[in-house]
Amino acid sequence: MTVKHAGLRLIDEKGLRHDGRRPDELRPVAMRVGVLSNADGSALFEIGKTKVLAAVYGPREPPQRHTMLPDRAVLRVRYHMAPFSTMDRKSPAPSRREIELSKVIREALEPVVIAELYPRTAIDVFVEVLQADGGTRTAGVTAASLALADAGIPMKGLVAGVAVGKVDGVIVLDVDELEDSAGEADLPIAAAPDIGLITLFQLNGVLSRQELEEAVEMGLSAIRRLVDMEKETLRSSVTVMPGE
Amino acid sequence: MSMLSRLTGKRVEPGDVVGVIEEYQPGPGTYVDDGVIRASVMGVVVVNESSRVVEVRPHKSLRTPRRCTSALGVVTSVRHDLVVASLIGEVSLKPHPRFMGEYSGIFDGAIPIQLISEEYVKDIYEYYRVGDIVVAKIVSSSNPYTLSTKGPQYGVIYGLCSKCGGLLVSESNKTVKCQSCGSVEPRKASIIQPTRLPLSRLRYSIWRR
Amino acid sequence: MSTTPYKLPIVPMIKKQSYLSLYRKGARIDGRDLETPRNVRIETGVIEKAEGSAIARLGNTQVIAGVKIDVGSPFRDTPDQGVLTVHAEFVPLASPLFEPGPPDENAVELARVVDRSLREVGAVDLSSLAIRPGEKVWMLWVDLYILDHDGNLFDASMLAAMAALLDARLPEYEELESGEIMVDKSRKGEPLKIDHRVVTVTIAKVDEYLIVDPTLDEETIADAKIVVAVDEEKRIVGAQKTGGSGMTREEILKAVDIAGKASEVYFKALNEAISKG
């Protein structure tokens, strides 16, 4: 969807964005864990109007035995958008985009999940986009990271993601849908800052070498803040000590 | 006093540093990345100064079947040489029988005929029936798990009466009795009191695939 | 093809005994009596991008309903009426039993029962949805999204659907000279014309007991359920027996009576949410 909004200015004379944010400013963020009773772990992540719910089940036996691995758990990830999450109703049947993003999100989580501890099992991660306003795949990674930790799945570190973009020639953090559709580039990035790994990296659009470096730096610094918030959210979610 | 012993009791999240391998051994709930010991789960740090082990006690313990522990399961099929069961959760037998919690999913286990009882098993149907709730020992370390019910604690806790559908509870180590109609059926019965394992508290693992 | 459910419950009988002994005393494991629904919480306007939305929570059960409104062509046999479609998704995050995939028979049944309960009584005035009769009408999509399944998806879904429809606003539009309709969804216009408010009350039969708003555990041990749709005047505007056992004439009539009374609880929660929203 590359609708060019003719004459629309995304950066004003003060250098502020269409919603009043500075280029390096995130939209308001909210995180909650343990929001579902059935799932082993769950989280709701909101960034601006983007709302994403993630649930984790397992380690459990996958329904098809042949999908098991002898030396580790398999991760199964589904990214899916609710029909009412977009301006025009989205058909609930999985699109090619959702199939790709499911893979991209899984590969953003694989590097941190310590799957070797649970051979011959499956860890299922379900990401449901309840409302889409840009950055849903990276919001999905952030929600999934919280849900995995909430489920008690061993991880090397928490992950978070954010979409960096270029609008009106300026590198901006956390692009929303308007900036994504009208902007020149969109760079979704996710990382586990504790272990210094970028786990999701895509670029749709054109950036110079220098712009790319600036975008990655901007993204990583926001991801560090998001992971700190994840830790704070997890810390405040626990009220009872384990009776081990 | 080293900096790390002050870490004991500290709340940590996955990825947080809890030690270095020059000083400590990584224990449960931790992993080593480039010489640094980090938490892999959210929980509380416990440093054992005498063994030099640092571990993270998880706030939410993830339970999967483990070798040499006991499991609560439901018999899902009985073949001439094998009893297949769905394992629901962990049971601790000492100091007294107690349900420790559900597994993170339902796991398959099997009792081969030679591990059903200490005695020679001639007719497997005299020992188990589909629908029986059993306590069994896990004797293998990966799934599908091999189970054993040799020993007085192991065997059927509850069964369903084949006449009236009522609840069967153990009467002797070889029989169970229906609480509704009084009918007696043969089983490999456990000596554990059914009330020790309140199944009504199970969360959602009430189905098998 | 519909098959007898083969995902067999594994510890239902043991639970059933303890549930039945409570029912005998007129009580339930969560402290309710047999004829009272769980705590109902409804919130509207939870999805700004939808033209109408609501989340309904019935105990631990959570359902979101989103209403999307587009311009389309009417059906040939109802040229001057808008089109209402109800769709349900059992997303796999809601239950360890739900698998990804197209809606199964349970999801289709749920959507159709909600659809009929709205349609038969004329809850939404579909004739008010004609833009140019015979040519252009509003199409209403009610999408039900099950988020957490702890039983009684029917009542929770119906409450969410009704609240979302009451929350919905038609988008503003312009008719171009070419006759095309240009919809501007960023501008919200008139609310939908809702002529009747409807709820469903689900009653499960467990042995000889009839219990309102069963939890997932209670549905597991239930022989059958009956879903009764009721409007604010307590008229019966739809019903469906579901589950693989029969019910007697007396049981069905008693269930209908119980439904009328229990509907008051749902209507109170619904009306409160709407006046607040």
Side-chain angles (χ1 to χ4, degrees):
Chain A
M1 279 196 286
T2 49
V3 189
K4 291 291 172 200
H5 299 251
L8 180 71
R9 288 190 57 184
L10 291 168
I11 304 283
D12 69 12
E13 55 282 353
K14 288 187 205 142
L16 296 180
R17 294 153 75 178
H18 75 97
D19 57 0
R21 279 186 291 158
R22 294 185 313 274
D24 63 346
E25 196 176 338
L26 289 171
R27 289 173 288 176
V29 168
M31 299 179 181
R32 271 170 67 204
V33 293
V35 291
L36 301 177
S37 66
N38 274 333
D40 296 310
S42 60
L44 178 67
F45 176 60
E46 299 179 45
I47 183 158
K49 280 188 181 169
T50 293
K51 289 183 213 270
V52 178
L53 191 61
V56 169
Y57 284 93
R60 60 180 177 179
E61 278 180 10
Q64 295 92 19
R65 286 199 154 266
H66 62 88
T67 57
M68 301 194 301
L69 288 173
D71 57 340
R72 53 161 289 176
V74 295
L75 262 184
R76 302 192 303 173
V77 175
R78 183 175 105 134
Y79 165 98
H80 186 245
M81 294 177 85
F84 44 76
S85 62
T86 47
M87 266 308 169
D88 295 317
R89 179 180 185 268
K90 190 211 155 277
S91 158
S95 64
R96 289 169 63 84
R97 175 181 174 276
E98 285 166 303
I99 292 167
E100 184 205 342
L101 295 191
S102 297
K103 177 176 186 289
V104 168
I105 294 172
R106 177 176 60 75
E107 290 170 348
L109 301 171
E110 296 266 16
V112 294
V113 173
I114 308 179
E116 298 74 27
L117 293 177
Y118 301 101
R120 296 172 191 276
T121 65
I123 297 167
D124 291 338
V125 181
F126 300 115
V127 173
E128 290 291 339
V129 177
L130 300 180
Q131 181 156 265
D133 190 21
T136 58
R137 79 196 67 181
T138 48
V141 171
T142 310
S145 165
L146 282 164
L148 283 164
D150 181 45
I153 306 281
M155 299 160 84
K156 291 184 175 173
L158 296 168
V159 255
V162 72
V164 187
K166 181 182 171 188
V167 295
D168 287 356
V170 179
I171 301 296
V172 294
L173 183 66
D174 180 26
V175 291
D176 64 15
E177 194 172 77
L178 177 69
E179 291 174 325
D180 185 18
S181 58
E184 294 107 80
D186 168 34
L187 185 144
I189 179 169
D194 283 333
I195 53 171
L197 279 184
I198 291 171
T199 66
L200 183 156
F201 188 83
Q202 292 179 293
L203 171 63
N204 316 302
V206 182
L207 291 180
S208 70
R209 166 71 173 67
Q210 199 188 338
E211 285 169 335
L212 181 79
E213 196 172 327
E214 189 189 337
V216 169
E217 272 321 304
M218 192 182 267
L220 288 179
S221 125
I223 286 167
R224 242 167 255 127
R225 278 179 281 154
L226 286 168
V227 164
D228 284 344
M229 283 184 68
E230 285 185 32
K231 289 183 179 178
E232 195 46 53
T233 304
L234 290 167
R235 226 179 327 247
S236 54
S237 74
V238 181
T239 47
V240 189
M241 292 288 286
E244 192 63 89
Chain B
M1 201 161 122
S2 82
M3 192 194 77
L4 277 167
S5 53
R6 270 177 277 134
L7 269 176
T8 289
K10 187 180 188 283
R11 181 62 212 272
V12 289
E13 264 51 58
D16 285 346
V17 176
V18 295
V20 287
I21 49 170
E22 284 84 10
E23 274 194 87
Y24 288 95
Q25 298 275 339
T30 72
Y31 74 99
V32 178
D33 175 56
D34 200 18
V36 177
I37 307 172
R38 292 176 186 272
S40 62
V41 290
M42 57 164 165
V44 171
V45 180
V46 175
V47 183
N48 185 326
E49 288 296 343
S50 56
S51 64
R52 310 294 291 170
V53 171
V54 57
E55 65 172 285
V56 177
R57 296 259 165 92
H59 271 300
K60 209 166 186 172
S61 43
L62 236 181
R63 243 177 256 281
T64 52
R66 288 176 301 148
R67 192 163 168 251
C68 291
T69 60
S70 299
L72 188 75
V74 181
V75 174
T76 55
S77 78
V78 182
R79 296 180 219 159
H80 73 279
D81 58 347
L82 189 74
V83 175
V84 182
S86 289
L87 306 181
I88 305 169
E90 192 171 314
V91 171
S92 161
L93 296 177
K94 285 175 191 156
H96 51 78
R98 190 156 70 97
F99 188 65
M100 300 299 288
E102 286 174 65
Y103 296 132
S104 55
I106 294 178
F107 291 87
D108 285 343
I111 320 169
I113 192 163
Q114 66 273 22
L115 294 182
I116 286 179
S117 167
E118 272 119 357
E119 61 184 32
Y120 172 70
V121 176
K122 196 172 161 202
D123 180 6
I124 202 163
Y125 298 98
E126 302 260 295
Y127 292 81
Y128 290 109
R129 292 286 175 91
V130 169
D132 287 350
I133 311 276
V134 299
V135 169
K137 187 175 175 182
I138 301 171
V139 295
S140 70
S141 51
S142 76
N143 65 350
Y145 296 90
T146 306
L147 309 171
S148 162
T149 54
K150 286 183 176 179
Q153 307 239 51
Y154 301 110
V156 177
I157 304 286
Y158 291 107
L160 294 181
C161 177
S162 53
K163 286 212 178 75
C164 75
L167 267 191
L168 298 166
V169 296
S170 73
E171 193 193 38
S172 72
N173 61 353
K174 284 188 159 181
T175 53
V176 287
K177 188 176 179 181
C178 177
Q179 297 193 303
S180 307
C181 72
S183 140
V184 174
E185 297 187 20
R187 286 293 198 286
K188 163 70 173 91
S190 160
I191 58 164
I192 297 173
Q193 286 293 317
T195 47
R196 286 276 185 197
L197 304 171
L199 301 182
S200 55
R201 294 227 199 101
L202 291 179
R203 193 167 47 122
Y204 64 75
S205 305
I206 47 171
W207 301 77
R208 78 175 170 89
R209 277 196 248 263
Chain C
M1 185 167 67
S2 179
T3 313
T4 307
Y6 55 87
K7 287 181 172 177
L8 293 175
I10 50 179
V11 279
M13 281 306 288
I14 288 115
K15 288 195 174 187
K16 190 168 181 172
Q17 298 304 325
S18 54
Y19 278 83
L20 282 174
S21 63
L22 278 169
Y23 294 162
R24 234 165 268 135
K25 298 176 210 149
R28 289 159 88 172
I29 205 140
D30 51 12
R32 288 185 284 162
D33 63 32
L34 303 193
E35 298 181 0
T36 305
R38 285 169 287 181
N39 184 20
V40 193
R41 286 155 300 153
I42 303 168
E43 222 180 298
T44 58
V46 291
I47 305 292
E48 299 95 323
K49 284 209 173 178
E51 280 68 67
S53 63
I55 184 165
R57 297 187 175 92
L58 201 49
N60 278 333
T61 293
Q62 298 187 50
V63 178
I64 286 195
V67 177
K68 292 301 296 178
I69 305 179
D70 288 306
V71 177
S73 309
F75 290 123
R76 213 175 294 166
D77 53 343
T78 52
D80 51 358
Q81 289 194 359
V83 177
L84 171 73
T85 311
V86 180
H87 179 94
E89 283 283 309
F90 285 13
V91 281
L93 54 63
S95 161
L97 302 176
F98 294 172
E99 297 281 341
D104 69 355
E105 60 181 20
N106 297 306
V108 171
E109 183 190 33
L110 172 71
R112 288 178 57 86
V113 167
V114 171
D115 183 296
R116 286 198 295 273
S117 304
L118 292 167
R119 193 179 300 280
E120 299 300 328
V121 70
V124 183
D125 179 6
L126 295 179
S127 58
S128 70
L129 297 175
I131 301 171
R132 267 207 314 275
E135 281 181 61
K136 297 281 180 199
V137 297
W138 291 116
M139 321 271 290
L140 305 187
W141 286 92
V142 178
D143 279 292
L144 297 166
Y145 228 53
I146 314 302
L147 299 183
D148 211 354
H149 180 15
D150 189 24
N152 198 2
L153 298 179
F154 283 97
D155 296 2
S157 298
M158 189 70 213
L159 285 166
M162 201 68 233
L165 285 166
L166 287 160
D167 176 59
R169 297 284 180 278
L170 290 168
E172 297 277 352
Y173 68 97
E174 275 174 61
E175 271 190 86
L176 303 183
E177 267 175 52
S178 62
E180 240 186 292
I181 307 283
M182 276 283 287
V183 177
D184 181 0
K185 289 194 177 171
S186 63
R187 291 190 301 152
K188 291 192 172 179
E190 290 294 304
L192 298 177
K193 197 161 169 288
I194 307 288
D195 290 340
H196 301 277
R197 294 183 180 188
V198 181
V199 298
T200 61
V201 178
T202 297
I203 291 144
K205 167 183 149 65
V206 187
D207 275 13
E208 73 262 38
Y209 301 99
L210 293 177
I211 55 167
V212 168
D213 178 28
T215 64
L216 185 56
D217 269 353
E218 290 175 322
E219 287 186 343
T220 311
I221 60 167
D223 306 300
K225 289 186 293 182
I226 182 164
V227 186
V228 184
V230 184
D231 72 0
E232 280 188 289
E233 285 89 57
K234 293 201 179 166
R235 290 185 300 166
I236 314 301
V237 300
Q240 176 122 329
K241 189 227 88 174
T242 172
S245 286
M247 291 175 82
T248 63
R249 175 182 171 278
E250 287 72 26
E251 282 170 337
I252 287 188
L253 293 177
K254 191 178 169 210
V256 166
D257 293 339
I258 295 172
K261 194 161 155 287
S263 71
E264 292 168 14
V265 178
Y266 290 154
F267 276 121
K268 186 163 174 281
L270 179 68
N271 295 340
E272 274 173 16
I274 297 308
S275 60
K276 227 190 295 168

